[in-house]
Amino acid sequence: MLRKFISCIKGYEKPTILTPTFMLAEVSMECIMPLIIADLINEIEAGCGMDVIIQKGLLLVLMAMISLAGGAGAGYFAARASAGFAKNLRHAEFESIERFSFENIDKYSSSSLVTRMTTDVSNVQMAFMMLIRTAFRSPLMFIFSIIMAYRMGGALAGTYAVLIPILGFGLYFISKKAMPAFRSVFRKYDKLNESIEENVMAMRAVKGFVREDYEKKKFGDAAENIRRDFTHAERIVALNSPLMQLCMYANTAIIAYIGSKTIVTSMGIDLGVGQLSGLLTYGVQILMSLNMLSMIYVMLTMAAESAKRISEVLVEEPTIKNPENPVTEIKNGDIDFENVSFKYSARAERYALEGINLHIKSGETVGILGGTGSSKTTLIQPISRLYDVTEGVVKVGGVDVRDYDIEALRNSVAVVLQKNLLFSGTIADNLRWGNENATDEELREACALSQAEEFINSFPEGYDTMIEQGGTNVSGGQKQRLCIARALLKKPKILILDDSTSAVDTKTDALIRRGFDKFIPETTKIIIAQRVASVENADKIIIMDNGKIADVGTHDELLSRSDIYREIYEQQVKGGGEDEN
């Protein structure tokens, strides 16, 4: 984990090194200045002239300016280094997520991934800034101040030997009590983001069912849980300040009393007023350094939990990888399932697919029907290796899909899933997801084939019409047709439509299927549908039931022998289902 985080400093090594360098200059000046002030006080007490005062005064001004420049430089470079580190860390995390297979993604909720790339990265960024700046400054200040205090006060500085352990133990105890509360907050951030994500994505449903008050309460409860945990943790951490002040004032009182008595009794020989002044200043610096170290400890505790969550994403290995010598050429659209069984998780009790044997020739049109939960969608996912089968073999073009280069395979298999998704940008931008080099003529041809050209031309901007995030400014049927056109631009050897014409009328559905037969006859077409009319002219129809193939045949064959198919057909056709669509 540490190696991966260190690699994220790449490109920002210079500001990372310069930060503690400038901090060293600041701390050095702050630790030497009390010594100069002590000497100045002693000189004044001895009756020095204005020339000495001016000389030492100018030296103090110069040292203060160096200290200011050191602090400003350290702040500037720390900001650059930490911001760059956070950028690289987010990029590394995003790259890791992009490599995930569906099985990897199933392990995390989308809200959790968002939290890991935002809140968790911000915590680690803050901790990194503190490490190269404050965590470097406080130990230096502590060590320098201890040395200077003993140099000036001798045995009198021994009071620190009593107070430092007391303060250190107290700060450690406070930090240890606060840690569990901080740890629990991050898990609750996931719930908060989940509430926001669900509400935004399902805004129409929320308003349609008048559930705004319920969603407000759910969000409010999640926010209240975080507030309560943070309040509890901050109340504990707030004890740092009174504890530090108690030790600081007690130390000041003890040193002032003993020091004053020593000055009076020794007539300033053993200890001077200037030395006492410097000793008090160093005492404050020592205790402040300890207080800062305790705050760093709390921050690092929070960051450690965030770093652990980020690391889980960074070290997650994709379950689907390229073989050592992948096949890059897909000869045709033949598809073969040989004794295939599949379950989504090794811990799953039952198989989603079981004992599947299926052979589809290149260029065939195949329909898939079945009830809800019959694993229609699951059947097509191993074809493009969205998941790997648990048992058996899936072949495309006569080659096991696990032997193909993943990119080459997925470029030859175009899938239009149930949930059609468009991205922010123009219609043309969205279409070119299928082929970034597609010409305007190819865009128009694909849209004509998917029956999208007519409504695109009705927009004033045509193909330059902007699509809002998620495609909210186009209808469900228009979105489906654009997604089909986008898939066609890949010029795939296999085209899979997963209930992708459910939002269009039967006439448009028929025109789309007719266009497929005319323009892409050599492409294997698999159509998952709810309507019999969408698949009745297919070369073969597969009936799925409870994760198994119940029957395979043509429309007429299935009508004569399949109870499931006959029931679906009679409900839709004889019951008037098709007329309603």
Side-chain angles (χ1 to χ4, degrees):
M1 179 180 76
L2 186 60
R3 192 182 303 115
K4 285 185 176 291
F5 279 90
I6 290 174
S7 67
C8 292
I9 302 174
K10 187 176 181 180
Y12 296 91
E13 297 92 340
K14 185 177 178 180
T16 301
I17 295 170
L18 286 175
T19 297
T21 303
F22 274 83
M23 186 57 62
L24 179 61
E26 181 189 22
V27 172
S28 299
M29 294 302 102
E30 286 189 12
C31 287
I32 296 173
M33 284 173 70
L35 182 62
I36 304 300
I37 293 171
D39 287 341
L40 178 60
I41 292 173
N42 289 335
E43 291 279 1
I44 294 172
E45 189 180 12
C48 69
M50 282 299 298
D51 57 331
V52 175
I53 296 174
I54 292 173
Q55 182 183 2
K56 290 191 178 293
L58 290 174
L59 178 59
L60 286 171
V61 169
L62 177 62
M63 293 177 71
M65 291 178 65
I66 294 173
S67 178
L68 178 63
Y76 170 75
F77 288 115
R80 281 196 61 192
S82 61
F85 169 75
K87 181 200 74 172
N88 289 344
L89 188 57
R90 285 194 182 95
H91 187 71
E93 201 172 355
F94 185 76
E95 275 191 340
S96 184
I97 293 170
E98 286 293 292
R99 291 193 300 268
F100 281 3
S101 66
F102 278 23
E103 185 177 342
N104 294 116
I105 293 173
D106 290 343
K107 289 177 62 176
Y108 307 93
S109 67
S110 56
S111 59
S112 177
L113 290 174
V114 169
T115 304
R116 291 165 199 252
M117 292 190 66
T118 52
T119 304
D120 287 332
V121 170
S122 295
N123 287 335
V124 174
Q125 176 185 356
M126 183 63 68
F128 179 71
M129 178 184 285
M130 293 184 76
L131 277 173
I132 62 174
R133 188 181 181 189
T134 311
F136 188 80
R137 183 184 196 280
S138 297
L140 278 178
M141 179 69 75
F142 179 79
I143 293 168
F144 281 10
S145 296
I146 286 284
I147 293 171
M148 298 304 292
Y150 271 94
R151 182 180 180 276
M152 297 185 70
L156 186 57
T159 55
Y160 299 129
V162 177
L163 288 174
I164 288 173
I166 294 173
L167 179 59
F169 177 78
L171 295 177
Y172 172 76
F173 180 77
I174 290 170
S175 301
K176 192 174 181 63
K177 282 286 185 182
M179 278 190 286
F182 282 124
R183 285 196 183 108
S184 68
V185 166
F186 300 111
R187 291 186 289 273
K188 294 181 179 180
Y189 267 124
D190 291 346
K191 291 291 183 185
L192 186 70
N193 284 339
E194 184 179 331
S195 176
I196 297 170
E197 182 183 24
E198 285 182 347
N199 198 281
V200 172
M201 293 181 66
M203 186 60 70
R204 287 178 173 80
V206 171
K207 292 189 177 297
F209 286 92
V210 196
R211 298 287 283 176
E212 290 94 338
D213 290 340
Y214 172 80
E215 289 296 324
K216 287 177 185 176
K217 184 179 182 304
K218 186 170 74 172
F219 178 83
D221 290 342
E224 175 61 21
N225 282 335
I226 292 176
R227 183 204 66 79
R228 188 164 51 245
D229 279 1
F230 259 126
T231 301
H232 173 63
E234 291 295 344
R235 280 176 178 169
I236 297 172
V237 173
L239 295 174
N240 278 357
S241 181
L243 177 62
M244 189 205 70
Q245 289 183 23
L246 175 64
C247 291
M248 184 171 65
Y249 292 139
N251 179 70
T252 301
I254 293 170
I255 289 179
Y257 172 75
I258 297 175
S260 300
K261 189 175 181 180
T262 302
I263 292 171
V264 172
T265 56
S266 69
M267 302 295 291
I269 296 173
D270 294 337
L271 185 72
V273 175
Q275 289 171 300
L276 178 61
S277 172
L279 197 59
L280 292 172
T281 302
Y282 286 126
V284 172
Q285 289 181 346
I286 290 169
L287 298 176
M288 286 293 290
S289 298
L290 280 174
N291 185 55
M292 287 304 301
L293 286 172
S294 73
M295 296 303 295
I296 292 167
Y297 180 65
V298 172
M299 185 64 221
L300 291 180
T301 300
M302 294 173 59
E305 190 67 21
S306 291
K308 181 181 176 182
R309 286 160 52 86
I310 293 170
S311 180
E312 287 174 353
V313 176
L314 294 178
V315 302
E316 179 81 16
E317 287 293 330
T319 56
I320 294 179
K321 299 179 181 179
N322 268 336
E324 288 187 11
N325 299 299
V327 179
T328 57
E329 183 180 352
I330 291 83
K331 291 188 293 186
N332 55 49
D334 287 345
I335 302 172
D336 298 288
F337 283 72
E338 299 176 359
N339 300 315
V340 168
S341 294
F342 168 75
K343 52 185 177 181
Y344 284 98
S345 169
R347 298 185 298 273
E349 295 181 359
R350 59 181 295 273
Y351 284 96
L353 294 174
E354 190 171 1
I356 303 296
N357 284 284
L358 179 64
H359 304 284
I360 300 171
K361 293 180 181 179
S362 183
E364 281 189 330
T365 298
V366 178
I368 302 178
L369 286 177
T372 302
S374 61
S375 297
K376 300 187 298 295
T377 298
T378 304
L379 181 66
I380 58 94
Q381 297 200 60
I383 296 173
S384 56
R385 287 198 76 191
L386 298 180
Y387 290 93
D388 275 340
V389 297
T390 307
E391 298 174 9
V393 177
V394 176
K395 295 181 179 180
V396 169
V399 177
D400 189 334
V401 293
R402 289 169 292 197
D403 293 333
Y404 280 119
D405 176 78
I406 295 174
E407 186 175 340
L409 175 65
R410 291 177 180 170
N411 276 331
S412 295
V413 181
V415 183
V416 185
L417 297 171
Q418 283 175 309
K419 294 182 179 179
N420 298 286
L421 182 63
L422 296 176
F423 298 87
S424 301
T426 66
I427 289 177
D429 290 338
N430 273 274
L431 292 172
R432 287 195 171 97
W433 270 67
N435 178 4
E436 61 182 354
N437 299 315
T439 64
D440 292 344
E441 182 59 35
E442 288 174 323
L443 296 185
R444 286 191 289 271
E445 183 181 9
C447 290
L449 181 58
S450 67
Q451 304 301 309
E453 190 171 37
E454 183 178 350
F455 79 78
I456 292 174
N457 290 333
S458 69
F459 295 142
E461 300 293 327
Y463 285 84
D464 293 325
T465 300
M466 291 298 298
I467 296 292
E468 295 178 5
Q469 185 179 13
T472 55
N473 60 329
V474 291
S475 69
Q478 290 172 337
K479 192 187 299 184
Q480 285 186 336
R481 282 175 277 176
L482 288 173
C483 289
I484 292 171
R486 181 173 64 189
L488 290 172
L489 283 167
K490 292 180 72 174
K491 298 178 181 177
K493 286 185 169 59
I494 299 170
L495 175 64
I496 300 172
L497 304 179
D498 187 357
D499 203 17
S500 303
T501 57
S502 59
V504 302
D505 58 80
T506 52
K507 179 181 177 182
T508 302
D509 187 11
L511 289 172
I512 292 172
R513 285 184 282 108
R514 196 177 304 151
F516 290 164
D517 295 335
K518 181 178 179 182
F519 291 101
I520 50 172
E522 296 181 359
T523 297
T524 303
K525 298 164 281 291
I526 299 176
I527 303 171
I528 300 174
Q530 301 293 336
R531 296 186 296 214
V532 171
S534 297
V535 298
E536 63 181 342
N537 294 321
D539 297 307
K540 64 177 68 170
I541 302 169
I542 302 167
I543 305 300
M544 295 296 298
D545 184 32
N546 199 29
K548 299 179 180 179
I549 294 179
D551 208 339
V552 179
T554 63
H555 170 72
D556 292 334
E557 290 171 346
L558 293 175
L559 270 181
S560 65
R561 68 173 185 244
S562 173
D563 293 336
I564 298 174
Y565 187 79
R566 191 183 308 113
E567 182 182 353
I568 296 172
Y569 178 78
E570 289 176 353
Q571 285 178 347
Q572 293 185 3
V573 179
K574 295 186 178 180
E578 286 295 293
D579 293 334
E580 291 175 7
N581 287 317

